[in-house]
Amino acid sequence: MENSFLKKFKAKSTSELLEIVNSSGYQESARNAATKLIVERGEQQRLISSLKEFSKLELKDLLKNLSSYEYDHELTSSSLKIYRNQRTGLTGTVLFFIGLAFILFVLFNWWLGNTSWTLRYSISFGLLAMILGWGRLRTSNYTYLKLNKNGVSLKKINEETKSETVILNTDFDYFSTRKYSRSVSIFLNRRTGKPMSVVNLKLKTFEPTSELASELADRLNEYVKDPTTL
């Protein structure tokens, strides 16, 4: 996919490529292709100088940048929700179609008149794979952080567990950021418990990930103190 964007964007000017790099409206492979073309032209400095000044953005515009990191958001007059929904689609799809292939194999043999008892293994495996695959397709690996006037809640759901942690305003301390070698996390700090990682953004070349996380943490702190800041 990225190679196709490289060919498509090759004739674009550097200014046009910078617009693509800084736009959340383009998918990641398109932004990566635009970045590579700018680097190939020896104009890396323009990438650095074109970084957004997040402090000047309204909250709704700041949150749109999260789409580049596989997060979505819902912003209303009474609450703010930041979430990531990672469906186990690939594994589920593979299992489902492997199972379907086994079932079709058995049906084809029956059509040819082969009713060997050994086909029972194939049909059993096929049905089991289809059931497991369909189950994973319907299951979400879901995480969301929700803030409202009552406090903060963090919910995590996957195939094995379901948990929700509610932090009242009286126990909430502040949001902070922590940078790692490949990512930067926003942590929720409590007065009576250990800090909790609530958002994790993968670091990307020539993208101001740390600046985005820092500004977002500051805005979340403002919101918890005064929900009318939305």
Side-chain angles (χ1 to χ4, degrees):
M1 179 65 75
E2 189 172 307
N3 288 333
S4 64
F5 282 118
L6 284 170
K7 295 177 182 178
K8 184 178 179 181
F9 295 161
K10 200 165 186 178
K12 290 184 178 293
S13 67
T14 301
S15 296
E16 291 174 321
L17 293 174
L18 288 170
E19 289 182 8
I20 294 172
V21 171
N22 290 321
S23 173
S24 60
Y26 286 89
Q27 55 187 287
E28 184 176 354
S29 55
R31 293 196 301 275
N32 288 341
T35 299
K36 285 185 177 180
L37 288 171
I38 294 172
V39 173
E40 287 176 5
R41 296 175 185 181
E43 299 186 74
Q44 298 94 320
Q45 189 59 38
R46 294 193 63 182
L47 280 166
I48 298 172
S49 62
S50 69
L51 299 181
K52 293 180 180 177
E53 295 185 47
F54 293 118
S55 61
K56 296 182 179 180
L57 295 177
E58 293 185 10
L59 180 58
K60 62 180 181 180
D61 297 315
L62 178 68
L63 291 167
K64 289 178 182 178
N65 288 274
L66 290 174
S67 62
S68 300
Y69 301 90
E70 300 179 350
Y71 279 89
D72 292 306
H73 70 280
E74 292 180 8
L75 182 61
T76 69
S77 59
S78 59
S79 68
L80 166 61
K81 183 164 74 172
I82 298 172
Y83 61 94
R84 178 165 57 186
N85 188 1
Q86 297 173 301
R87 290 189 174 276
T88 52
L90 179 59
T91 305
T93 300
V94 171
L95 282 172
F96 182 84
F97 281 103
I98 287 177
L100 180 61
F102 272 84
I103 298 298
L104 292 175
F105 171 77
V106 172
L107 293 176
F108 179 70
N109 275 269
W110 286 351
W111 181 72
L112 293 177
N114 179 8
T115 57
S116 172
W117 66 272
T118 57
L119 291 174
R120 297 175 184 175
Y121 296 111
S122 295
I123 197 167
S124 297
F125 176 81
L127 287 172
L128 179 61
M130 289 182 70
I131 292 171
L132 290 175
W134 181 248
R136 289 183 69 84
L137 282 171
R138 290 172 55 86
T139 303
S140 296
N141 186 359
Y142 188 89
T143 303
Y144 82 64
L145 169 71
K146 185 176 182 180
L147 299 83
N148 55 35
K149 63 181 181 180
N150 297 318
V152 182
S153 62
L154 178 67
K155 180 180 287 188
K156 295 185 178 182
I157 302 172
N158 57 40
E159 298 97 293
E160 299 177 353
T161 62
K162 178 179 180 180
S163 64
E164 181 171 11
T165 304
V166 178
I167 299 95
L168 299 177
N169 284 334
T170 53
D171 190 31
F172 171 81
D173 202 356
Y174 61 94
F175 288 101
S176 63
T177 61
R178 189 180 300 174
K179 188 175 180 179
Y180 302 97
S181 60
R182 297 184 179 180
S183 66
V184 57
S185 288
I186 296 177
F187 275 80
L188 186 156
N189 299 275
R190 294 176 291 170
R191 295 185 176 93
T192 59
K194 294 181 179 179
M196 303 169 60
S197 176
V198 293
V199 175
N200 182 264
L201 308 179
K202 182 180 178 181
L203 293 172
K204 299 182 179 183
T205 305
F206 297 115
E207 290 199 26
T209 307
S210 297
E211 291 80 357
L212 171 62
S214 179
E215 184 64 33
L216 184 56
D218 289 342
R219 300 290 187 94
L220 294 178
N221 286 326
E222 291 175 5
Y223 173 74
V224 174
K225 294 177 182 177
D226 181 10
T228 61
T229 56
L230 287 178

